[in-house]
Amino acid sequence: MTTREKAATGRPRLFDEEAVLATLTALFWKQGYGQTSMSDIVESSGVHKPSLYRTFGSKEQLFALVLRRYLTERMAMFDALIDRAGPGVEGVHTFLELFERDALSARGRDGCLMVMASNELRGSIADFDFAKAYRTEMRARISRLIARTVPAGGENAELADARTDLFTTYLLGLHVIMRSDADADEIHRYLNAMHATAEQW
Amino acid sequence: MTTREKAATGRPRLFDEEAVLATLTALFWKQGYGQTSMSDIVESSGVHKPSLYRTFGSKEQLFALVLRRYLTERMAMFDALIDRAGPGVEGVHTFLELFERDALSARGRDGCLMVMASNELRGSIADFDFAKAYRTEMRARISRLIARTVPAGGENAELADARTDLFTTYLLGLHVIMRSDADADEIHRYLNAMHATAEQW
DNA sequence: CAAGTTCTGTACCAAACGGTAACATAGTGG
DNA sequence: CCACTATGTTACCGTTTGGTACAGAACTTG
């Protein structure tokens, strides 16, 4: 589905699927699913409707593709942030600082596409249970970050799990705040709250 | 706007505004703003379109009214929960237990109408900056709950603020989880994370 | 009981929605 | 150079959208 499998025999495509998906990701991210019409999509992508429908199926399937692409991209970004953050509790602070940089960017102000979608459309769309997938994937990343704050050992696993759950929920809430016109000071304050919490770890 | 001001001189209304707003609150809460059409609203309320438009103005203004009503109702519920929760850290645990009961109810599975709306429609609608209003009001309540976990004193105010910000963000994130098809076990796990955090306060 | 006022209910509107038929166009393989 | 195939492009489809005109019904006031 992502790459050409059969040899292209007909007229070649004038647009790049990946580039279109990237553009439309930004569009959906800003406007939401329901507030984005096919006309918006045509205008933003520069691709005519029949081509979009032949390539992606329907608006719903298109959005499912956008979500899938966003998920892997987003998780790669989280992986990168966690890799750059060092070990121990200090790593958590570094992660939060790196995250803040992203939160204050233009994209950051739109929050998280997955959080937005799961609020607007509930769990699943076009046979893709994205809400559960997002929670699972994201929690796994956070777990990697948090595990470093706790010494290995059976009874510490429970502590690490609790901290991971807290941090995951916290980040989801932060995305809600980021999307709803909070200014830089307010975002900084809410990040500071997690800094303070991590200091007691 | 809420109660009759002038003497009623014409034909009396067959429906109760408050009851209609309550019904439509549930409808919007479940379906979201964009996914709820005026036809849905007519069917659900039993009130015909022209009556709705004369009474509430437009779909947008109607939703703004629903949000206003929901905000005060929701804050009253938070106040009640916090009143019932005792003092000290124990009060936080009690609050979380009370909150869990609500979270597992049918309504709880829909998350929070304000969180949903702020994700779908950004900050404001029909001259009502509900996102900011919600954050402010909610944070004030949480602050009341958290203040009890900290002894009075200038330097402790900062600590209480940080805990309040953390708890507020956490609750927002929890609402996201509650709305996206999480089962009772998962919700319990995420609540447990805050129990564990509060134990160290 | 007639005038004045407000609400109900049917029937309707233009505009926008998601989606497609049909034809021109640009490539590939024989 | 001719079928063949897949694309670009225009113009269109039926349905649903948010919103209203209009006529009749129900109440108050004089």
Side-chain angles (χ1 to χ4, degrees):
Chain A
M1 197 110 185
T2 51
T3 53
R4 194 70 39 76
E5 270 131 15
K6 291 181 180 178
T9 65
R11 179 173 177 173
R13 231 167 235 167
L14 290 186
F15 63 93
D16 177 26
E17 290 181 32
E18 258 298 298
V20 165
L21 284 179
T23 301
L24 296 184
T25 299
L27 186 67
F28 279 124
W29 197 348
K30 229 179 264 174
Q31 304 193 349
Y33 178 74
Q35 316 294 322
T36 304
S37 71
M38 284 307 295
S39 308
D40 291 334
I41 293 172
V42 166
E43 192 182 353
S44 173
S45 66
V47 179
H48 293 195
K49 252 196 280 190
S51 293
L52 289 171
Y53 276 93
R54 209 175 320 99
T55 310
F56 302 112
S58 68
K59 188 190 174 189
E60 199 175 313
Q61 291 174 313
L62 169 59
F63 190 57
L65 275 181
V66 164
L67 284 178
R68 282 207 156 87
R69 211 192 84 100
Y70 175 87
L71 180 60
T72 64
E73 207 179 41
R74 189 77 170 174
M75 288 308 119
M77 174 221 167
F78 266 95
D79 281 331
L81 253 56
I82 291 171
D83 284 343
R84 285 185 59 189
V89 174
E90 192 53 41
V92 176
H93 290 298
T94 309
F95 173 87
L96 289 171
E97 280 158 21
L98 293 173
F99 187 86
E100 181 165 5
R101 223 177 291 175
D102 195 74
L104 295 180
S105 71
R107 283 208 157 181
R109 301 315 182 92
D110 292 333
C112 169
L113 177 62
M114 282 278 176
V115 171
M116 187 217 81
S118 80
N119 266 291
E120 189 180 341
L121 305 166
R122 310 305 274 272
S124 57
I125 191 170
D127 289 328
F128 178 31
D129 190 352
F130 63 89
K132 191 181 173 188
Y134 183 66
R135 260 177 292 147
T136 307
E137 297 269 342
M138 178 156 161
R139 197 190 173 284
R141 264 78 185 179
I142 304 296
S143 173
R144 237 184 85 215
L145 175 71
I146 300 291
R148 309 172 182 165
T149 70
V150 168
E155 60 191 53
N156 283 327
E158 204 175 326
L159 178 62
D161 276 348
R163 286 180 185 172
T164 299
D165 287 336
L166 181 82
F167 203 95
T168 302
T169 314
Y170 165 83
L171 272 186
L172 290 175
L174 199 59
H175 283 126
V176 171
I177 294 173
M178 283 157 58
R179 190 172 173 82
S180 46
D181 302 331
D183 58 29
D185 283 348
E186 196 171 357
I187 290 174
H188 184 76
R189 241 191 44 220
Y190 282 105
L191 275 158
N192 214 43
M194 187 47 95
H195 277 293
T197 300
E199 256 160 38
Q200 300 187 342
W201 284 356
Chain B
M1 197 102 182
T2 50
T3 55
R4 193 72 38 77
E5 271 132 14
K6 292 181 180 179
T9 66
R11 177 173 177 173
R13 210 158 258 172
L14 290 186
F15 62 94
D16 177 27
E17 290 181 34
E18 257 297 299
V20 166
L21 284 180
T23 302
L24 296 184
T25 299
L27 185 67
F28 279 123
W29 197 347
K30 228 178 266 172
Q31 304 191 351
Y33 178 74
Q35 315 293 321
T36 304
S37 71
M38 284 307 296
S39 307
D40 291 334
I41 292 172
V42 166
E43 191 181 355
S44 173
S45 66
V47 178
H48 292 242
K49 251 196 278 189
S51 294
L52 289 170
Y53 276 94
R54 204 172 330 91
T55 309
F56 303 112
S58 67
K59 189 191 174 189
E60 198 175 315
Q61 291 173 312
L62 169 58
F63 190 57
L65 275 181
V66 164
L67 284 178
R68 282 206 156 86
R69 210 193 85 100
Y70 175 87
L71 179 60
T72 65
E73 207 178 42
R74 188 78 171 174
M75 289 307 120
M77 174 221 168
F78 267 96
D79 281 331
L81 253 55
I82 291 171
D83 284 343
R84 286 184 59 190
V89 174
E90 192 54 42
V92 175
H93 290 298
T94 309
F95 174 87
L96 288 171
E97 279 158 21
L98 293 172
F99 187 86
E100 180 166 5
R101 223 177 290 173
D102 195 75
L104 296 179
S105 71
R107 282 207 159 181
R109 302 314 182 93
D110 291 333
C112 169
L113 177 61
M114 282 278 176
V115 171
M116 187 216 81
S118 80
N119 266 289
E120 189 179 341
L121 305 166
R122 310 304 274 272
S124 58
I125 191 170
D127 289 327
F128 177 31
D129 190 352
F130 63 88
K132 191 180 174 187
Y134 183 66
R135 260 177 292 148
T136 307
E137 298 270 342
M138 178 157 161
R139 197 189 174 284
R141 264 78 185 180
I142 304 295
S143 173
R144 237 184 85 216
L145 176 71
I146 300 290
R148 309 171 181 164
T149 70
V150 168
E155 60 191 53
N156 284 327
E158 204 175 326
L159 178 63
D161 276 349
R163 286 181 185 172
T164 299
D165 286 336
L166 181 82
F167 202 96
T168 303
T169 314
Y170 164 83
L171 273 187
L172 290 176
L174 200 58
H175 283 125
V176 171
I177 294 174
M178 283 158 59
R179 190 172 174 81
S180 46
D181 302 331
D183 58 29
D185 283 347
E186 196 171 357
I187 291 174
H188 184 75
R189 241 190 46 219
Y190 282 104
L191 274 158
N192 214 43
M194 187 46 96
H195 277 293
T197 300
E199 256 160 37
Q200 301 187 340
W201 285 357

